Each structure stands twice: as structure tokens, then as C-alpha cells.
């Protein structure tokens, strides 16, 4: 929500990434679109001034400039691809994309992913049923034809070639975490049975932290123990992180917002982020 704080965070993360890049590929989560269960702030692209003015063209410009600056630091960026139109403006700067729990069954998003030229992870839905994500992965590997927009912004019939670089993201469910060794073995077998790539990324937040942001480290510790034990399907993890811990509401007076603190999901702070990445680095010796 705050480009200045985003660059501040990116500079810290780029320096940290340089210390661990021989064992860990660090991607900065740069999420500009926020799916909502009912209502709420929908993200920087939709409402860059945080005042319900919805200056989307301004938001797209800010988003693109931010991605350029972060990429120039040597940091790849990852984002949730929510709008099927926005990738036309941003896709050349995206290194990793995610499809969220609320849209993982969407036909529109399956078609969109089939035409994206970067790896995309499908999250399991909030019910925890990973078969939905697996079906979406299979669908996105195939070519599709659908209505979209071309590079001139005109409605066109879009034909895609399929995206081979899809993978599963386990984010927990309403019933709790799904990163245990049993969950990982089950997911790995289902990926194999479906003829899908074996890679699994664990989102350490959301259901996997019981929606308690402070417990993301517990999830990461469990994941790394499995990696140390030889679980080769695990290829990555996600953390919700910012400069300050927790989150804050948008209350109308933007001058009172705490610098570097999330206005959406609760995050771990920078000190915790640094410690977790350095600890993970040591475990990968």
C-alpha cells in the first residue's frame, strides 16, 4: 500500500538475498491485488490512494514502476494474478505468479495461466481439497482459446500454448495446517498419479499458521525438517512479511498509518524475517 515502504523493504531483502543466494532463491512477494470474501481494500492497483477513489490507471503505473525498481535491485518479484487483464500490463516483470484459494477453481484463471510465461503456483482452496488445485494445474498445461485483450487493448480471441511450469501451493485449510509429512506424502503421490510436476511450495501463513502470523516460523521449521529428512517434493516456502509486525486498519486518516505495517494480512516483522531466512540457510548446508 506504501511504495516508499515497499522499496525500503526491498533494499533490505536484496541485501539479505545476496547472503543466501547460493542455497536459497529469494523472491519478493509484491501483491497488488487483494481478493476479498465480501468487501475491503482491493489493493494498490484498484485503489492506490486508499480512499475508495479507485484510480486504476494510476495504480497500474505505480505498480509497474515499483516492479521495475525492485527488479533492478536484482530481486525477482512474485504476485498473485487475480485480474485476467492486468498481466498484459505487468507480466514482463513477473518471475512467479500465484493463484489464490478463492480463484483456484476458476475457469478464467485456468485459461489465463495457460498463457503466462512464468511459473505459477495454485493454492488449495480453503476447504483443503487439493484435487481442485490439481485439476487446475492440469487444465493450465493445455492450450486454450478465449476472449481477452491484445497488446492494443482491443478485445481479441486469445490462443495460448499451455503453461508447463505449474505447481502446488499448500496453504492450510479451515480445519488447520496441511504441511505435515503425511500431507506432503499424500500430495506428492496425487501429483505423481495425475502426471503433474512434483514441486510443492508451502505457504507458512493462513491455515498453516492457524491464522496466527507469529506461528509462521513453526511451519517453516517443520518444512525444513522434512527437507533435511530427504523429502524432495518440497521446493519452496512462502512467508507473509513486512517491516513491522501485525497489521492495521485503513481508518480514513492516512497520516496516522504506522510506517511499514500491513493494511491487509498480518505479517512477521523484518527482524523475524531475517532470522528465519538465515536459519533456513544454515539448515541447507
Amino acid at each position: 500500500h506504501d511504495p516508499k515502504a515497499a522499496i525500503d523493504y526491498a533494499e533490505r531483502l536484496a541485501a539479505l538475498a545476496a547472503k543466501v543466494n547460493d542455497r536459497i532463491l529469494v523472491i519478493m512477494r509484491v501483491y497488488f491485488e487483494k481478493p476479498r470474501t465480501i468487501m475491503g481494500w482491493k489493493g494498490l492497483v484498484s485503489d492506490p490512494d486508499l480512499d475508495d477513489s479507485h484510480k486504476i490507471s494510476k495504480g497500474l503505473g505505480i505498480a509497474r514502476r515499483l516492479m521495475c525498481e525492485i527488479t533492478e535491485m536484482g530481486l525477482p518479484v512474485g504476485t498473485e494474478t487475480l485480474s485476467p487483464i492486468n498481466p498484459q500490463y505487468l507480466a514482463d516483470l513477473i518471475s512467479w505468479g500465484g493463484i489464490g484459494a478463492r480463484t483456484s477453481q476458476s475457469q478464467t484463471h485456468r485459461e489465463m495461466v495457460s498463457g503466462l510465461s512464468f511459473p505459477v503456483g495454485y493454492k488449495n482452496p480453503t476447504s483443503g481439497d487439493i484435487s481442485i488445485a490439481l485439476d487446475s494445474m492440469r487444465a493450465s498445461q493445455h492450450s486454450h482459446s478465449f476472449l481477452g485483450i491484445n497488446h492494443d487493448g482491443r478485445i481479441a480471441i486469445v490462443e495460448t500454448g499451455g503453461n508447463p511450469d505449474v505447481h502446488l501451493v499448500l496453504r492450510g485449510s479451515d480445519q488447520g495446517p496441511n504441511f505435515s509429512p503425511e500431507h506432503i506424502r499424500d500430495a506428492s503421490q496425487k501429483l505423481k498419479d495425475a502426471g503433474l510436476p512434483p514441486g510443492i511450495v508451502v505457504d507458512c501463513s493462513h491455515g498453516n499458521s492457524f491464522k496466527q502470523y507469529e506461528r509462521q516460523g513453526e511451519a517453516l521449521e517443520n518444512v525444513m525438517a522434512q527437507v533435511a529428512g530427504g523429502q524432495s517434493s518440497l521446493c519452496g516456502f512462502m512467508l507473509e512479511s513486512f517491516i513491522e509486525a501485525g497489521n492495521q486498519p485503513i481508518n480514513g486518516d492516512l497520516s496516522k498509518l504506522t510506517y511499514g505495517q500491513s493494511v491487509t494480512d498480518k505479517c512477521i516483522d523484518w527482524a523475524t524475517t531475517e532470522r528465519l531466512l538465515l536459519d533456513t540457510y544454515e539448515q541447507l548446508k
Side-chain angles (χ1 to χ4, degrees), residues 23-274:
R23 301 174 198 167
I24 302 172
L25 172 62
V26 177
I27 300 174
M28 180 167 162
R29 288 163 45 101
V30 184
Y31 279 33
F32 297 123
E33 301 176 90
K34 176 65 177 174
R36 289 295 185 177
T37 302
I38 301 175
M39 291 298 293
W41 185 64
K42 295 180 181 178
L44 189 76
V45 166
S46 178
D47 187 19
D49 294 332
L50 288 76
D51 60 359
D52 293 326
S53 58
H54 301 291
K55 298 175 183 176
I56 296 174
S57 59
K58 177 181 178 180
L60 283 169
I62 294 172
R64 186 165 179 85
R65 284 194 296 274
L66 263 177
M67 282 185 164
C68 286
E69 290 185 58
I70 295 167
T71 301
E72 287 170 1
M73 296 180 197
L75 268 180
V77 298
T79 192
E80 179 172 347
T81 46
L82 185 60
S83 163
I85 295 175
N86 286 351
Q88 290 286 58
Y89 297 94
L90 305 171
D92 57 313
L93 291 164
I94 299 172
S95 294
W96 178 89
I99 299 298
R102 294 170 181 82
T103 48
S104 61
Q105 198 172 14
S106 161
Q107 176 70 15
T108 298
H109 290 80
R110 292 174 174 183
E111 293 170 343
M112 174 184 68
V113 170
S114 74
L116 296 177
S117 54
F118 47 81
V120 176
Y122 275 99
K123 287 189 178 183
N124 64 266
T126 56
S127 66
D129 181 6
I130 68 170
S131 65
I132 290 173
L134 301 185
D135 288 344
S136 293
M137 290 168 64
R138 292 172 66 187
S140 295
Q141 287 185 320
H142 291 276
S143 59
H144 289 270
S145 296
F146 53 93
L147 285 176
I149 62 169
N150 62 19
H151 290 293
D152 296 319
R154 296 182 177 182
I155 296 174
I157 297 173
V158 178
E159 295 183 350
T160 65
N163 188 340
D165 300 316
V166 290
H167 55 272
L168 177 64
V169 180
L170 297 178
R171 49 86 70 200
S173 71
D174 292 335
Q175 288 73 49
N178 61 359
F179 58 78
S180 71
E182 293 76 21
H183 283 111
I184 300 301
R185 284 195 295 268
D186 177 66
S188 298
Q189 187 60 51
K190 288 179 177 176
L191 285 166
K192 182 179 179 180
D193 292 345
L196 290 165
I200 297 173
V201 170
V202 172
D203 180 350
C204 296
S205 189
H206 304 294
N208 279 335
S209 63
F210 296 95
K211 297 185 178 181
Q212 300 173 41
Y213 72 95
E214 307 97 326
R215 300 185 67 176
Q216 292 185 72
E218 296 176 27
L220 177 56
E221 183 178 349
N222 186 295
V223 167
M224 293 311 301
Q226 292 182 59
V227 171
Q231 177 51 266
S232 60
S233 293
L234 290 164
C235 64
F237 60 90
M238 299 171 66
L239 297 172
E240 288 201 303
S241 157
F242 204 14
I243 297 170
E244 301 295 338
N247 67 353
Q248 61 187 323
I250 300 172
N251 57 16
D253 185 353
L254 301 184
S255 67
K256 293 184 179 180
L257 287 178
T258 299
Y259 176 78
Q261 188 176 53
S262 172
V263 298
T264 55
D265 293 353
K266 293 181 179 180
C267 295
I268 54 174
D269 63 14
W270 174 251
T272 304
T273 304
E274 186 174 40

